[in-house]
Each structure stands twice: as structure tokens, then as C-alpha cells.
Amino acid sequence: QVQLVESGGGLVQAGGSLRLSCAASRRTFNTNVMGWFRQAPGKEREFVAAITWDSSSTYYEDSVKGRFTISRDNAKATVYLQMNSLKPEDTAVYYCAATGPYYSGSYYNTERIYMYWGQGTQVAVSS
């Protein structure tokens, strides 16, 4: 069982930056693929980014490539999402998620593979 808690959300002006954090409750976090998803009001939850257990590979939705960076610190059992050049369309509740241990499938952008989810943190970008 893995429990996830997001933090770092808030209100920022367009063009600004924000860093989200997601802390895991136990050491098994180190063997999980981690992902970030977001959901805007009236919209479906969508994939944002993912990172493998050893940080050897990262994956991004096209709309955030070049602006967002996902990283993790296994010693701290924490995953991060650095968001730069924020746009109003980035406004959403952001969720971190974790797969089971040692996931090594061919895809990372579907919520179906993630077993554990945080409660979400609100990001609002003003124009």
C-alpha cells in the first residue's frame, strides 16, 4: 500500500513557475513508476508526465513538453513536477499517481496502470 500526498499548488500569473511535490508514505515508492495527471472543471482527467523507478526514462504530454519537468528523489520518497512558462490552460487540479512495483509496460499515459492516487493540489494560472 502506497499513500501519496501532493503539495505546492497555488495561484500564479501566466509565464510564471511552480513546483509540485508528491510525498510517498513508504519505501516501496522507490520501485513504482510515478505519474502526474490533471483535471480541469468539466474535463476528463488527462495525462501530464511520468517517470520510471530509476529515472532512466520520462514521458510527457505534447502540450507540456519543453515547459514541464518531472523528477524524483527516491531517498526522500518524493516526486516533483517543475512547471515553467505556465499558461491559463494549465489551470487544473493536479494529481500524482503510482503504479505497482517494477512496472515496465510499453505505455505510461493511461490512468488504468496506476494503482495509487493522491488527493490532488489546485493550480490556477491567471492571464
Side-chain angles (χ1 to χ4, degrees), residues 104-125:
S104 59
S106 59
Y107 55 91
Y108 296 85
N109 64 345
T110 175
E111 62 186 75
R112 187 59 55 191
I113 71 171
Y114 295 93
M115 297 179 61
Y116 310 104
W117 294 81
Q119 82 291 336
T121 186
Q122 177 71 55
V123 172
V125 184

Side-chain angles (χ1 to χ4, degrees), residues 79-97:
V79 64
Y80 305 95
L81 185 68
Q82 178 66 47
M83 303 184 294
N84 298 327
S85 302
L86 283 162
K87 305 174 180 179
E89 52 261 45
D90 295 318
T91 295
V93 176
Y94 283 69
Y95 299 89
C96 68

Side-chain angles (χ1 to χ4, degrees), residues 47-110:
F47 171 77
V48 178
I51 186 167
T52 54
W53 70 272
D54 59 354
S55 299
S56 62
S57 298
T58 57
Y59 307 86
Y60 297 96
E61 182 66 28
D62 287 344
S63 64
V64 306
K65 285 182 178 177
R67 300 190 298 121
F68 291 9
T69 302
I70 188 171
S71 62
R72 68 192 297 166
D73 185 340
N74 285 351
K76 297 180 178 179
T78 301
V79 64
Y80 305 95
L81 185 68
Q82 178 66 47
M83 303 184 294
N84 298 327
S85 302
L86 283 162
K87 305 174 180 179
E89 52 261 45
D90 295 318
T91 295
V93 176
Y94 283 69
Y95 299 89
C96 68
T99 69
Y102 299 109
Y103 176 80
S104 59
S106 59
Y107 55 91
Y108 296 85
N109 64 345
T110 175

